[in-house]
Amino acid sequence: MKQGSAMTDGPFKNLQLANRWKRYTEAVQNHLVARDTVRAMACNAIVRDVLFGSNRALLNAVDTHVSQAQQDFDAIASVEGIFSRYSKSPFADSLQRELVFRLDSQAPAAAYDEAITAAISGHISEVGNRIVEECIRSYESDQMNRSQLTRTITQSKATLRSIDLEELCRAVRSGNTNAFKLAASKKDGLDEGPPL
């Protein structure tokens, strides 16, 4: 019965995701929305996730610290001291782990470059997993049919894999929450129905 069930309010309405991720999930399975626009929507959502709360101030503080010319005697303790002054968040915890792991063997600036890339990569993976889980939950509660489930998961995975990680990291490090906003707002076809 699930395969042919009709959805009047749309299968994405009840997903337990932030609104920006609901819009992305809706767009990702809609063939009328350009793939570049969908990718920009994902990047916009990621940047806004990562720079939420005190994360922007934390990133500025870490960036300033690691770019200083003089080296610390105990780089790990200095970095952990910075993180302790800011609110905890899943992203901040991930970044701290990645950075501390690298500080043993690398200069602070190089360690930070790699750590932020790894932390953002991890965030992308987590988001991808949450989208899959929510789509499966929606399918199991008859809010999404099998073809929507398959298309959404397949297209979302492909979109998240296609993100230019270097460009995304630059936007996060610069604190630019609007880096992908214009491209993400080009939602042509998002509210249109299937072609006749």
Side-chain angles (χ1 to χ4, degrees), residues 12 15 17 25 130-140 144 148-149 152-153:
F12 306 101
L15 295 179
L17 299 168
T25 306
R130 285 192 56 235
I131 288 170
V132 169
E133 289 166 7
E134 282 301 312
C135 287
I136 290 170
R137 187 192 58 75
S138 187
Y139 169 72
E140 288 174 346
M144 181 182 288
Q148 288 170 317
L149 172 73
T152 303
I153 290 173

Side-chain angles (χ1 to χ4, degrees), residues 46 100 171:
I46 292 163
V100 167

Side-chain angles (χ1 to χ4, degrees), residues 17-152:
L17 299 168
N19 284 338
R20 61 184 159 264
W21 285 113
K22 284 183 187 179
R23 285 190 299 273
Y24 161 79
T25 306
E26 189 174 328
V28 81
Q29 62 86 43
N30 186 333
H31 69 279
L32 298 174
V33 181
R35 295 302 96 190
D36 288 345
T37 301
V38 176
R39 186 172 32 257
M41 290 174 81
C43 290
N44 185 55
I46 292 163
V47 168
R48 291 176 182 279
D49 285 352
V50 169
L51 295 177
F52 182 75
S54 67
N55 284 352
R56 185 188 308 219
L58 168 66
L59 291 171
N60 285 337
V62 174
D63 200 66
T64 299
H65 178 76
V66 300
S67 61
Q68 291 174 348
Q70 68 261 23
Q71 296 295 323
D72 283 333
F73 288 114
D74 190 352
I76 292 174
S78 297
V79 164
E80 287 182 333
I82 294 169
F83 278 89
S84 71
R85 292 193 294 271
Y86 293 90
S87 299
K88 292 285 184 191
S89 73
F91 180 78
D93 289 344
S94 173
L95 179 60
Q96 183 176 3
R97 276 191 312 275
E98 295 289 348
L99 184 52
V100 167
F101 170 73
R102 288 166 173 78
L103 281 172
D104 262 345
S105 60
Q106 296 179 339
Y112 184 57
D113 288 344
E114 286 185 17
I116 199 158
T117 301
I120 290 172
S121 253
H123 184 75
I124 293 169
S125 293
E126 288 171 22
V127 165
N129 291 338
R130 285 192 56 235
I131 288 170
V132 169
E133 289 166 7
E134 282 301 312
C135 287
I136 290 170
R137 187 192 58 75
S138 187
Y139 169 72
E140 288 174 346
S141 62
D142 290 332
Q143 297 170 355
M144 181 182 288
N145 65 43
R146 181 175 294 280
S147 65
Q148 288 170 317
L149 172 73
T150 302
R151 180 167 173 78
T152 303

